[in-house]
Amino acid sequence: MSAPRTTPRGPRRFGWPRRVFSQVLLMQLAIITGVTVLVTGLFLAPLSAQLDDQAMRRALAIAQSTAAQPQISASLLTTEPRPDGAVQAATERIRRATGAEYVVVMDKHGVRWSHTDSSRIGDVVSTDPGAALAGRSVMEIDSGTLGRSARGKVPLLDGSDRIVGAVSVGIAYDSVRARLLATIPGLLAYAGGALAVGALAAYLISRRLQRQTHDLAFSDISALLTEREAMLHSIREGVVALDRTGRIRLLNDEAQRLLGLGPEASGKQLDEALGEGRTTDVLAGRVVGDDLVTVRGNRVLLANRMPTDDGGAVATLRDRTELEYLGRELDSTHGLIDALRAQDHEHANRLHTLLGLLELEMHEEAVEFVTEVVGVHRATAEQVTEKVHDPLLASLLVGKATVAAERGVALRMAAGALLPDRLVDPRGLVTVLGNLVDNALDAAAGTPDARIEVGLRAEGRTVELRVRDSGPGVPAGDHEAIFTEGWSTKELPAHGKRGLGLPLVRRLAERQGGSVSVSSAPEGGAVFTVVLPEALGGPERLGVPAPGAPERPGSPTAGGPSAPLRPPTSGGTA
C-alpha cells in the first residue's frame, strides 16, 4: 500500500521541517558538527599541555647539560661576573647552539654571571632561585625580565659536588604558542574534511530514507501505522506476514482465530508455530498457486501468498468452512432430489401395476404385491437398526442405501457388524461414514457387480469402521497423497473445490486419538479403515444392554452372512 506524498500548504515558513528526510539530515549534520568540534577541542587541549611540557623538559635538559660542564663552575669560583668573562662566553655559545631564549648562570647569592642582555650581568636574578640552590631541579612556566618563558633550573656543582650556584634556561613561550597555532590549520583541515565526508554520508543516508518513507512527515507515518493496525485487526480476513527467514512478523486477530494461535506466535518460525502440514507448506511458499485450499483443525481455509520486496511474504486466509459445508449440503440436496425423482418414478410404476391388477380383478395378486412392497421397506430399516443402534448412523445408512440402489450399487452391511448406541460423538462419526460412503459410491458406480460393504465393529471403547468398494482402487503410491487437501481425481462440483472430504475424515479421526488408512482389497477396489479408540461411552446408554445382557430378538449372530440393504423394488418396469 503506497501512501500519498504530503504536499506543503500555505506560505512557506522557516522553522523545523516536517519531512523525515529533512529532519534526519539536519539532526545528522548537527551531530556530526558537534562531534567534530568536540573532538577538535579535546585534541587541542592536551596538545597545548603537551607542548608546554616538551618546552620545559627541553629547557631543563639544556640547563643540565650546561651545569655538567666543569669549566663553568671553575670559572664561577675563579673569576668575576663580567660581560666579557669566560662564563658569559660559554653560556652564549650554548644559547645560540640550542636556540634557547637565555642561559643564566648565578652564584649562591643569585647574582648573574651570564645573561642575554650583558648589561644585566652582576645583578640579582628577578625570580627566586632558592629551589635550585637547595639542590632541586625545577620546571615551570614563569615571567621574568625577558617575558614569559618555559624554564628549567638546576643546581651548579663544583668538582667536590658542592653547590656553588645554579643554571637557569628559558625557552620563549611565544615559540610554544606558535607551534600550537601552526598545528591548528592542519587540524582544522582534517576536521573540515571529516565534516564534509560525514555531511555527504548523512545526505546519502537521508536520501535513501526519503525514498523508503516516500518523503512522508513523521505525523503521516504515525497516522499510517495507526490506520494499518486498525485495518489489520478489523478486517474479517486472516493476514500473516513473514520475514525472509520464515519468521512470523504479524498475525492479525482473524489469523489467530483461524490458525488457532495466540499473540505469542509472533516472532516464532512458521514451522515451530504451526507444525508440519499443508497449511505450513502453503504459507511458507513450498506449495504455490492461487486460492489454495487447506484444512486447519476443523476449518477449511483458502490461502493466497504474495512475496514482498525484502524477501518476506504476506499471506491472506479466508474461512471457507461454512461455504464448504453449504456446498456439500447442496451436493447432498442434488442427490436427494435425484433419489426422490427416482422414487417418484418407482412409485408411479407401482401404482400403475396395482391399478392393472385391480382392473384385471386379480385381487389376491394385488394384495401380495402391496404386502411385498411394504415388507421390503420395513426389512430394509430393520436390517440396519438391528446392526446399528445409533439412530443418526442408522438413518444415514438407510438413506445411502436408497441412493446407492438408484445408482446401481448394492450397499451391504459386513458380516458381524454391530455398533451399540454409546457413541461419544455421533455427529463426527456420521461425517466420517458419510464421506467414506460417498467416495465409495463415486468409485463403484458404473463398475461390473458394483457393491459397497460397510463394517462397524465395537470392542471396549474402540470403534472400527471399514468401507470397501468394488471400484478401481487407489494406487499404492497415492495411499498417503489422497489425504492431502486439494487432491482429487473427480470433476469440480458446483461449489468449485474438491479434495476436502478425506482430509476432514483424517482430522476428525485424529481429534479423537484415532487413525485412518487405505489399502487394496484382494478382489479389487479400495478399503478405508478408521479406528477411533475413545468413540464409545459407558454402557446402559439409551436402553442399550450392558455386556452379558440378552440380545434383542432378531439380532444377527456374529459371523453371519452379510446381507444387502434392499431398497424398495418396483413391480413394473422403470
Side-chain angles (χ1 to χ4, degrees):
M1 180 181 66
S2 61
R5 295 172 62 90
T6 304
T7 56
R9 298 179 180 178
R12 187 177 183 85
R13 298 178 179 178
F14 294 98
W16 189 250
R18 299 181 63 246
R19 300 285 193 278
V20 175
F21 158 74
S22 303
Q23 291 190 26
V24 172
L25 179 60
L26 287 179
M27 287 188 290
Q28 287 181 326
L29 290 177
I31 292 173
I32 293 171
T33 303
V35 170
T36 303
V37 172
L38 179 62
V39 170
T40 303
L42 292 177
F43 181 78
L44 287 176
L47 178 62
S48 176
Q50 184 180 6
L51 291 176
D52 288 348
D53 184 71
Q54 289 178 353
M56 289 187 295
R57 290 184 180 278
R58 182 184 169 206
L60 183 64
I62 296 173
Q64 290 172 341
S65 298
T66 303
Q69 297 185 20
Q71 66 273 19
I72 292 181
S73 59
S75 299
L76 184 67
L77 295 175
T78 59
T79 61
E80 295 294 330
R82 297 197 307 268
D84 57 349
V87 175
Q88 172 69 2
T91 56
E92 280 299 299
R93 286 196 304 271
I94 295 173
R95 184 186 66 80
R96 288 191 294 269
T98 58
E101 184 179 18
Y102 64 85
V103 178
V104 175
V105 177
M106 65 193 79
D107 59 14
K108 295 178 63 174
H109 302 290
V111 177
R112 298 188 186 97
W113 285 67
S114 65
H115 197 273
T116 303
D117 185 2
S118 59
S119 63
R120 296 182 180 274
I121 297 175
D123 296 337
V124 177
V125 296
S126 58
T127 57
D128 183 15
L133 293 176
R136 297 193 300 273
S137 297
V138 178
M139 291 190 307
E140 61 184 359
I141 302 293
D142 202 357
S143 298
T145 56
L146 297 179
R148 190 171 179 80
S149 60
R151 300 182 178 186
K153 298 179 182 180
V154 296
L156 181 62
L157 306 177
D158 61 5
S160 301
D161 293 334
R162 291 178 300 173
I163 299 176
V164 296
V167 178
S168 176
V169 176
I171 302 296
Y173 195 73
D174 290 340
S175 65
V176 179
R177 185 180 296 111
R179 289 179 61 190
L180 177 62
L181 295 177
T183 307
I184 292 178
L187 180 62
L188 292 179
Y190 283 115
L195 181 61
V197 172
L200 178 60
Y203 176 77
L204 295 177
I205 293 174
S206 299
R207 287 291 297 176
R208 176 178 175 82
L209 184 62
Q210 181 185 27
R211 291 192 299 270
Q212 292 180 338
T213 60
H214 303 282
D215 199 19
L216 294 174
F218 276 113
S219 58
D220 296 330
I221 294 177
S222 177
L224 284 175
L225 288 175
T226 303
E227 294 168 0
R228 167 183 172 272
E229 289 297 314
M231 178 185 67
L232 285 176
H233 294 288
S234 62
I235 60 176
R236 304 307 299 170
E237 186 167 310
V239 178
V240 181
L242 308 171
D243 62 15
R244 66 178 63 192
T245 64
R247 191 180 302 275
I248 298 175
R249 289 192 296 197
L250 179 141
L251 274 172
N252 70 343
D253 295 343
E254 184 68 4
Q256 294 177 23
R257 184 182 71 86
L258 295 179
L259 297 176
L261 300 176
E264 67 278 359
S266 296
K268 294 183 178 179
Q269 290 290 333
L270 192 62
D271 294 338
E272 178 187 356
L274 294 180
E276 297 181 355
R278 177 176 168 85
T279 304
T280 303
D281 294 338
V282 169
L283 296 182
R286 293 189 284 268
V287 178
V288 296
D290 297 330
D291 292 339
L292 296 173
V293 178
T294 181
V295 176
R296 176 71 178 175
N298 58 351
R299 297 186 181 278
V300 180
L301 306 178
L302 206 62
N304 285 281
R305 187 178 186 274
M306 178 65 68
T308 56
D309 294 338
D310 61 354
V314 175
T316 58
L317 301 170
R318 280 178 285 167
D319 191 354
R320 197 182 173 85
T321 307
E322 294 184 3
L323 182 60
E324 186 64 30
Y325 287 156
L326 290 175
R328 290 184 174 276
E329 289 183 5
L330 180 61
D331 291 344
S332 300
T333 302
H334 286 167
L336 180 59
I337 291 174
D338 293 339
L340 290 175
R341 186 180 297 112
Q343 289 286 343
D344 180 66
H345 194 189
E346 292 282 339
H347 184 64
N349 288 337
R350 296 188 191 104
L351 288 179
H352 292 159
T353 302
L354 180 60
L355 179 61
L357 291 173
L358 292 176
E359 288 180 351
L360 295 174
E361 297 183 356
M362 301 174 65
H363 302 112
E364 293 183 3
E365 288 80 355
V367 172
E368 291 177 0
F369 176 75
V370 173
T371 302
E372 180 183 358
V373 170
V374 174
V376 168
H377 277 290
R378 185 178 298 114
T380 301
E382 289 179 354
Q383 183 182 358
V384 173
T385 55
E386 285 175 356
K387 295 178 178 292
V388 181
H389 298 166
D390 185 85
L392 288 179
L393 284 178
S395 302
L396 173 69
L397 288 173
V398 171
K400 293 298 182 184
T402 302
V403 176
E406 195 274 332
R407 297 181 63 178
V409 180
L411 195 152
R412 302 171 180 270
M413 293 296 293
L418 182 62
L419 184 67
D421 185 17
R422 291 188 285 116
L423 293 177
V424 175
D425 183 15
R427 293 184 180 275
L429 195 56
V430 164
T431 301
V432 171
L433 182 59
N435 275 289
L436 293 180
V437 171
D438 286 341
N439 288 340
L441 281 174
D442 292 336
T447 62
D449 190 22
R451 65 191 182 280
I452 298 173
E453 184 178 83
V454 178
L456 292 166
R457 186 172 63 88
E459 183 175 349
R461 301 186 63 181
T462 300
V463 170
E464 181 182 279
L465 185 155
R466 182 169 296 179
V467 177
R468 182 192 310 237
D469 63 67
S470 60
V474 179
D478 293 334
H479 281 186
E480 188 62 28
I482 61 174
F483 296 102
T484 303
E485 294 93 331
W487 193 96
S488 180
T489 59
K490 306 173 188 176
E491 295 182 359
L492 291 178
H495 51 93
K497 295 292 178 183
R498 276 204 182 274
L500 298 176
L502 290 177
L504 283 175
V505 169
R506 169 171 278 188
R507 293 297 175 89
L508 289 171
E510 291 176 347
R511 280 174 56 188
Q512 299 187 26
S515 62
V516 58
S517 61
V518 61
S519 59
S520 298
E523 64 275 11
V527 180
F528 286 86
T529 303
V530 179
V531 178
L532 304 174
E534 300 293 331
L536 292 179
E540 300 294 346
R541 181 183 173 190
L542 297 178
V544 177
E551 294 182 347
R552 294 185 180 182
S555 62
T557 58
S562 63
L565 303 182
R566 295 173 295 172
T569 57
S570 165
T573 304

